[in-house]
Amino acid sequence: MKPRPQLICVSGPDGAGKSSLVGQVATGLRGRGYAVATQYCYGCVVCRRLPRRIRFRFTASVGECRSLASGARTWAGRLHGWVDAAELAATLAQAGARARLTARGRPVVVVTDRGPLDGLVKFDPEPGSGLAAVFTRMADRYQVTLLLDAEPEVLADRDGEYPTDLLAKFRDRYRRWAERLPHVHLVHAAAPPATVAAEAMGRVLRRQRTPAATADPPLGTGDGRTHVVISTFDDTRSPHYHGGGALLVDKVARRLADEHRVTVVTVAGHGGTETRDGVLYRRLPLGWAGPRFGQLLYHLLLPLMARRLPHDLWLESFTPPFSTSFVPLFSRSRVVGVAQSLSGVPMARKYHLPFFLVERFGLRFYDDVIVMNEADGATVRRHAPHAVTHLIHNGVERPAVAPERIGDGDYIAYLGRVDVWAKGLDLLLAAHAGGCTPMPLLLAGSGTRTEEAKLTRMLSATAADVRWLGEVTGTAKRRLLEGCAFTVLPSRSESFGIVALESMSYGKPVLHFDVPTLRWMDGGGNVAVPAFDVDALGRELRALAADEHTRRRLGGLAYTAAQRFSWERTTDQYVALVQRLLDSPGARTRTTREVEQEGAGSWQPIR
């Protein structure tokens, strides 16, 4: 059987430079011995053949205002989407056949200008709908999707047709759908053309396969790759949390899917399975139970999943209130604990129950534990001295920041989950109201109904200049961080504080309580005050708000420190660790002596 053509797509909003990049990628691949066909795949027969006066009432391109059938919320829109998807499939088949006719034994590549990602952005169907599933399955066939990304102002200058606010809206939509598709790589379209072409070719060449590898996998239950399972209660689509832990699992799962079969076991309201970003998501139907009772049910069901779901390696992301689900006792393969949160002690303080005893007992069954910070590593080694600890920090997207915006702003920002006790919002409001703070405080985030109601009551009782914005994402989140003078992280308990790292990446100082798990920030533009000292927090709030020179100095340190972190570096470290553990013999039968020879009881960082 002849191998299938390899598919490469160049996607992005109008003005990003897709057509020119398609030509450059095709020329580069031809020079490397590939038989290449290029194909323009955007715009179905309805979009192209209807008279202009009717077409503009019936359809819309990316960047135009919504019309009768530009989206997938009406029957006409859904019908239009199915027509578009059908023609895209037919066009890909035609381009592949054309390339094979001229292949003469060479590997075949089809490079398309636009593709399934653009169709999803154009119609914006419901994530679980049939139309979304069709476009997603077509996206699975692509080895690489290059998403040309630039600031809306850059796109508006290049295109000259659409206003900045519309381009910003569709840029957010591209990024949102890109997170759900496999093998999507952002290419910074604002760079010089030669740089854009070089970055794109680098992404393409890293994903190319040999002709033999392009053949269909043999029939059976697997494709020959090792199977890695990641379990996490939180998920990026969870209505309750979707915090930094969910983002980390999403990034790591997508990266591991390049080399392994990956399944994420998580929670949803009605359960079910879904393939997204090349990852299979198996959702336990526990969302109805809410975040707290749902977590307890999740702890009960996860061992059963570990027993029934075949796997070569299991990454267990610890879940409150007592972290461990005792998966090593039920799994037949190696289990790695991922201590995104050692929640036993803080949950015991909050609910006055000895959750920490369960956590300490459960840690003894893990041979390997990944930690986000040195303090949690010390805790693991104290209660499980035989375990090997692996320090892997979180990552961050590193935006381009204008020098004049570093440390500059008009307000103080809190960004995070609304959980009054754990996140210290009661302490923050008391500190801000305790004196004449010369800047308003903006709170951004969401939580459970109970926590949001509690916050609303607290805000109604204070006379200070405090505003709650609700949840902010995408462009709104970027503008919040760009416009703040500094951020405050008043948490009583944190595992890493990814919001702090995001703030640092925008050149903003971070004010926080001096808790051990946040000391990774020391020297990186942070200001730490004694733990839970409301008066000290209030003094620093007023001091930083009034001292622009200090904010700029600390903001510069924060921006420099954030450059050392990236999601690429973080996910590469996970991939290296997973591969090393899969390659090591006797994953479940290692003796204590062998573990000690690996360095048990000592710090095991991954650089």
Side-chain angles (χ1 to χ4, degrees), residues 187-210:
V187 177
H188 298 288
T195 304
V196 173
E199 181 181 357
M201 282 302 300
R203 296 287 190 181
V204 169
L205 293 175
R206 281 197 292 271
R207 289 291 304 172
Q208 292 307 299
R209 304 170 297 173
T210 61

PDB file of all heavy atoms in Angstrom, residues 187-210:
ATOM      1  N   VAL A 187       3.787  30.369  14.855  1.00  0.00           N
ATOM      2  CA  VAL A 187       4.901  31.022  14.165  1.00  0.00           C
ATOM      3  C   VAL A 187       4.656  32.524  14.265  1.00  0.00           C
ATOM      4  O   VAL A 187       3.566  33.006  13.917  1.00  0.00           O
ATOM      5  CB  VAL A 187       4.985  30.596  12.685  1.00  0.00           C
ATOM      6  CG1 VAL A 187       6.101  31.347  11.974  1.00  0.00           C
ATOM      7  CG2 VAL A 187       5.215  29.088  12.588  1.00  0.00           C
ATOM      8  N   HIS A 188       5.626  33.260  14.741  1.00  0.00           N
ATOM      9  CA  HIS A 188       5.459  34.690  14.986  1.00  0.00           C
ATOM     10  C   HIS A 188       5.559  35.446  13.659  1.00  0.00           C
ATOM     11  O   HIS A 188       6.636  35.708  13.141  1.00  0.00           O
ATOM     12  CB  HIS A 188       6.500  35.184  15.985  1.00  0.00           C
ATOM     13  CG  HIS A 188       6.374  34.516  17.322  1.00  0.00           C
ATOM     14  ND1 HIS A 188       5.330  34.784  18.188  1.00  0.00           N
ATOM     15  CD2 HIS A 188       7.132  33.568  17.935  1.00  0.00           C
ATOM     16  CE1 HIS A 188       5.463  34.047  19.280  1.00  0.00           C
ATOM     17  NE2 HIS A 188       6.547  33.301  19.148  1.00  0.00           N
ATOM     18  N   ALA A 189       4.386  35.803  13.137  1.00  0.00           N
ATOM     19  CA  ALA A 189       4.318  36.403  11.804  1.00  0.00           C
ATOM     20  C   ALA A 189       4.827  37.832  11.763  1.00  0.00           C
ATOM     21  O   ALA A 189       5.040  38.375  10.679  1.00  0.00           O
ATOM     22  CB  ALA A 189       2.880  36.364  11.304  1.00  0.00           C
ATOM     23  N   ALA A 190       5.011  38.473  12.929  1.00  0.00           N
ATOM     24  CA  ALA A 190       5.490  39.854  12.934  1.00  0.00           C
ATOM     25  C   ALA A 190       6.993  39.946  12.678  1.00  0.00           C
ATOM     26  O   ALA A 190       7.511  41.039  12.436  1.00  0.00           O
ATOM     27  CB  ALA A 190       5.151  40.517  14.270  1.00  0.00           C
ATOM     28  N   ALA A 191       7.696  38.818  12.721  1.00  0.00           N
ATOM     29  CA  ALA A 191       9.140  38.818  12.480  1.00  0.00           C
ATOM     30  C   ALA A 191       9.432  39.063  10.999  1.00  0.00           C
ATOM     31  O   ALA A 191       8.534  38.967  10.152  1.00  0.00           O
ATOM     32  CB  ALA A 191       9.734  37.489  12.936  1.00  0.00           C
ATOM     33  N   PRO A 192      10.685  39.375  10.656  1.00  0.00           N
ATOM     34  CA  PRO A 192      11.038  39.527   9.233  1.00  0.00           C
ATOM     35  C   PRO A 192      10.716  38.256   8.444  1.00  0.00           C
ATOM     36  O   PRO A 192      10.767  37.147   8.996  1.00  0.00           O
ATOM     37  CB  PRO A 192      12.551  39.782   9.289  1.00  0.00           C
ATOM     38  CG  PRO A 192      12.796  40.358  10.635  1.00  0.00           C
ATOM     39  CD  PRO A 192      11.811  39.693  11.548  1.00  0.00           C
ATOM     40  N   PRO A 193      10.372  38.392   7.143  1.00  0.00           N
ATOM     41  CA  PRO A 193       9.956  37.226   6.352  1.00  0.00           C
ATOM     42  C   PRO A 193      10.950  36.076   6.376  1.00  0.00           C
ATOM     43  O   PRO A 193      10.552  34.904   6.433  1.00  0.00           O
ATOM     44  CB  PRO A 193       9.796  37.804   4.945  1.00  0.00           C
ATOM     45  CG  PRO A 193       9.486  39.252   5.169  1.00  0.00           C
ATOM     46  CD  PRO A 193      10.254  39.658   6.388  1.00  0.00           C
ATOM     47  N   ALA A 194      12.255  36.384   6.316  1.00  0.00           N
ATOM     48  CA  ALA A 194      13.251  35.309   6.333  1.00  0.00           C
ATOM     49  C   ALA A 194      13.209  34.546   7.652  1.00  0.00           C
ATOM     50  O   ALA A 194      13.350  33.315   7.682  1.00  0.00           O
ATOM     51  CB  ALA A 194      14.644  35.890   6.099  1.00  0.00           C
ATOM     52  N   THR A 195      12.993  35.265   8.762  1.00  0.00           N
ATOM     53  CA  THR A 195      12.908  34.618  10.072  1.00  0.00           C
ATOM     54  C   THR A 195      11.670  33.743  10.172  1.00  0.00           C
ATOM     55  O   THR A 195      11.710  32.630  10.698  1.00  0.00           O
ATOM     56  CB  THR A 195      12.896  35.683  11.176  1.00  0.00           C
ATOM     57  OG1 THR A 195      14.053  36.507  11.060  1.00  0.00           O
ATOM     58  CG2 THR A 195      12.874  35.037  12.550  1.00  0.00           C
ATOM     59  N   VAL A 196      10.536  34.254   9.650  1.00  0.00           N
ATOM     60  CA  VAL A 196       9.294  33.479   9.663  1.00  0.00           C
ATOM     61  C   VAL A 196       9.463  32.186   8.861  1.00  0.00           C
ATOM     62  O   VAL A 196       9.088  31.101   9.304  1.00  0.00           O
ATOM     63  CB  VAL A 196       8.132  34.316   9.092  1.00  0.00           C
ATOM     64  CG1 VAL A 196       6.876  33.458   8.952  1.00  0.00           C
ATOM     65  CG2 VAL A 196       7.853  35.516   9.981  1.00  0.00           C
ATOM     66  N   ALA A 197      10.062  32.303   7.668  1.00  0.00           N
ATOM     67  CA  ALA A 197      10.257  31.121   6.826  1.00  0.00           C
ATOM     68  C   ALA A 197      11.182  30.113   7.496  1.00  0.00           C
ATOM     69  O   ALA A 197      10.941  28.901   7.441  1.00  0.00           O
ATOM     70  CB  ALA A 197      10.809  31.536   5.466  1.00  0.00           C
ATOM     71  N   ALA A 198      12.252  30.598   8.138  1.00  0.00           N
ATOM     72  CA  ALA A 198      13.192  29.689   8.797  1.00  0.00           C
ATOM     73  C   ALA A 198      12.534  28.966   9.958  1.00  0.00           C
ATOM     74  O   ALA A 198      12.715  27.753  10.147  1.00  0.00           O
ATOM     75  CB  ALA A 198      14.413  30.475   9.274  1.00  0.00           C
ATOM     76  N   GLU A 199      11.736  29.703  10.757  1.00  0.00           N
ATOM     77  CA  GLU A 199      11.054  29.077  11.879  1.00  0.00           C
ATOM     78  C   GLU A 199      10.045  28.042  11.387  1.00  0.00           C
ATOM     79  O   GLU A 199       9.932  26.945  11.941  1.00  0.00           O
ATOM     80  CB  GLU A 199      10.351  30.137  12.727  1.00  0.00           C
ATOM     81  CG  GLU A 199       9.643  29.563  13.942  1.00  0.00           C
ATOM     82  CD  GLU A 199       8.928  30.624  14.771  1.00  0.00           C
ATOM     83  OE1 GLU A 199       9.034  31.818  14.429  1.00  0.00           O
ATOM     84  OE2 GLU A 199       8.248  30.246  15.739  1.00  0.00           O
ATOM     85  N   ALA A 200       9.302  28.375  10.327  1.00  0.00           N
ATOM     86  CA  ALA A 200       8.314  27.447   9.783  1.00  0.00           C
ATOM     87  C   ALA A 200       8.979  26.187   9.248  1.00  0.00           C
ATOM     88  O   ALA A 200       8.527  25.064   9.520  1.00  0.00           O
ATOM     89  CB  ALA A 200       7.508  28.137   8.687  1.00  0.00           C
ATOM     90  N   MET A 201      10.062  26.329   8.496  1.00  0.00           N
ATOM     91  CA  MET A 201      10.746  25.160   7.958  1.00  0.00           C
ATOM     92  C   MET A 201      11.321  24.293   9.070  1.00  0.00           C
ATOM     93  O   MET A 201      11.319  23.057   8.981  1.00  0.00           O
ATOM     94  CB  MET A 201      11.856  25.594   6.999  1.00  0.00           C
ATOM     95  CG  MET A 201      11.374  26.003   5.622  1.00  0.00           C
ATOM     96  SD  MET A 201      10.454  24.681   4.764  1.00  0.00           S
ATOM     97  CE  MET A 201      11.694  23.395   4.690  1.00  0.00           C
ATOM     98  N   GLY A 202      11.808  24.924  10.127  1.00  0.00           N
ATOM     99  CA  GLY A 202      12.314  24.146  11.246  1.00  0.00           C
ATOM    100  C   GLY A 202      11.226  23.289  11.881  1.00  0.00           C
ATOM    101  O   GLY A 202      11.435  22.125  12.195  1.00  0.00           O
ATOM    102  N   ARG A 203      10.030  23.887  12.041  1.00  0.00           N
ATOM    103  CA  ARG A 203       8.908  23.124  12.591  1.00  0.00           C
ATOM    104  C   ARG A 203       8.517  21.975  11.665  1.00  0.00           C
ATOM    105  O   ARG A 203       8.233  20.863  12.112  1.00  0.00           O
ATOM    106  CB  ARG A 203       7.709  24.053  12.777  1.00  0.00           C
ATOM    107  CG  ARG A 203       7.909  25.161  13.793  1.00  0.00           C
ATOM    108  CD  ARG A 203       7.889  24.625  15.190  1.00  0.00           C
ATOM    109  NE  ARG A 203       7.857  25.700  16.167  1.00  0.00           N
ATOM    110  CZ  ARG A 203       7.862  25.503  17.472  1.00  0.00           C
ATOM    111  NH1 ARG A 203       7.911  24.273  17.958  1.00  0.00           N
ATOM    112  NH2 ARG A 203       7.834  26.521  18.312  1.00  0.00           N
ATOM    113  N   VAL A 204       8.490  22.241  10.374  1.00  0.00           N
ATOM    114  CA  VAL A 204       8.074  21.223   9.406  1.00  0.00           C
ATOM    115  C   VAL A 204       9.063  20.065   9.374  1.00  0.00           C
ATOM    116  O   VAL A 204       8.675  18.887   9.420  1.00  0.00           O
ATOM    117  CB  VAL A 204       7.920  21.848   8.008  1.00  0.00           C
ATOM    118  CG1 VAL A 204       7.764  20.761   6.947  1.00  0.00           C
ATOM    119  CG2 VAL A 204       6.731  22.793   7.975  1.00  0.00           C
ATOM    120  N   LEU A 205      10.349  20.367   9.301  1.00  0.00           N
ATOM    121  CA  LEU A 205      11.352  19.314   9.151  1.00  0.00           C
ATOM    122  C   LEU A 205      11.438  18.436  10.392  1.00  0.00           C
ATOM    123  O   LEU A 205      11.747  17.247  10.297  1.00  0.00           O
ATOM    124  CB  LEU A 205      12.717  19.933   8.841  1.00  0.00           C
ATOM    125  CG  LEU A 205      12.806  20.616   7.475  1.00  0.00           C
ATOM    126  CD1 LEU A 205      14.162  21.295   7.312  1.00  0.00           C
ATOM    127  CD2 LEU A 205      12.572  19.617   6.354  1.00  0.00           C
ATOM    128  N   ARG A 206      11.151  19.004  11.574  1.00  0.00           N
ATOM    129  CA  ARG A 206      11.171  18.180  12.780  1.00  0.00           C
ATOM    130  C   ARG A 206      10.032  17.180  12.810  1.00  0.00           C
ATOM    131  O   ARG A 206      10.089  16.189  13.519  1.00  0.00           O
ATOM    132  CB  ARG A 206      11.115  19.075  14.027  1.00  0.00           C
ATOM    133  CG  ARG A 206      12.442  19.711  14.382  1.00  0.00           C
ATOM    134  CD  ARG A 206      12.444  20.216  15.804  1.00  0.00           C
ATOM    135  NE  ARG A 206      11.544  21.346  15.999  1.00  0.00           N
ATOM    136  CZ  ARG A 206      11.898  22.617  15.828  1.00  0.00           C
ATOM    137  NH1 ARG A 206      13.135  22.916  15.472  1.00  0.00           N
ATOM    138  NH2 ARG A 206      11.038  23.584  16.031  1.00  0.00           N
ATOM    139  N   ARG A 207       8.973  17.437  12.047  1.00  0.00           N
ATOM    140  CA  ARG A 207       7.816  16.554  12.055  1.00  0.00           C
ATOM    141  C   ARG A 207       7.768  15.592  10.876  1.00  0.00           C
ATOM    142  O   ARG A 207       6.875  14.765  10.785  1.00  0.00           O
ATOM    143  CB  ARG A 207       6.521  17.387  12.052  1.00  0.00           C
ATOM    144  CG  ARG A 207       6.252  18.102  13.350  1.00  0.00           C
ATOM    145  CD  ARG A 207       5.905  17.139  14.440  1.00  0.00           C
ATOM    146  NE  ARG A 207       4.771  16.307  14.081  1.00  0.00           N
ATOM    147  CZ  ARG A 207       4.355  15.270  14.789  1.00  0.00           C
ATOM    148  NH1 ARG A 207       5.002  14.911  15.860  1.00  0.00           N
ATOM    149  NH2 ARG A 207       3.302  14.570  14.401  1.00  0.00           N
ATOM    150  N   GLN A 208       8.707  15.721   9.938  1.00  0.00           N
ATOM    151  CA  GLN A 208       8.658  14.846   8.770  1.00  0.00           C
ATOM    152  C   GLN A 208       8.967  13.421   9.158  1.00  0.00           C
ATOM    153  O   GLN A 208       9.796  13.145  10.035  1.00  0.00           O
ATOM    154  CB  GLN A 208       9.655  15.311   7.694  1.00  0.00           C
ATOM    155  CG  GLN A 208       9.270  16.634   7.062  1.00  0.00           C
ATOM    156  CD  GLN A 208       7.851  16.623   6.542  1.00  0.00           C
ATOM    157  OE1 GLN A 208       7.511  15.838   5.681  1.00  0.00           O
ATOM    158  NE2 GLN A 208       7.013  17.493   7.075  1.00  0.00           N
ATOM    159  N   ARG A 209       8.323  12.478   8.484  1.00  0.00           N
ATOM    160  CA  ARG A 209       8.517  11.051   8.737  1.00  0.00           C
ATOM    161  C   ARG A 209       9.157  10.404   7.526  1.00  0.00           C
ATOM    162  O   ARG A 209       9.059  10.898   6.413  1.00  0.00           O
ATOM    163  CB  ARG A 209       7.171  10.375   9.019  1.00  0.00           C
ATOM    164  CG  ARG A 209       6.407  10.993  10.165  1.00  0.00           C
ATOM    165  CD  ARG A 209       5.004  10.427  10.212  1.00  0.00           C
ATOM    166  NE  ARG A 209       4.263  10.768   9.015  1.00  0.00           N
ATOM    167  CZ  ARG A 209       3.061  10.282   8.739  1.00  0.00           C
ATOM    168  NH1 ARG A 209       2.499   9.425   9.546  1.00  0.00           N
ATOM    169  NH2 ARG A 209       2.433  10.637   7.639  1.00  0.00           N
ATOM    170  N   THR A 210       9.796   9.292   7.751  1.00  0.00           N
ATOM    171  CA  THR A 210      10.336   8.537   6.623  1.00  0.00           C
ATOM    172  C   THR A 210       9.186   7.897   5.871  1.00  0.00           C
ATOM    173  O   THR A 210       8.109   7.655   6.420  1.00  0.00           O
ATOM    174  CB  THR A 210      11.274   7.430   7.124  1.00  0.00           C
ATOM    175  OG1 THR A 210      10.511   6.554   7.953  1.00  0.00           O
ATOM    176  CG2 THR A 210      12.427   8.010   7.920  1.00  0.00           C
TER     177      THR A 210
END
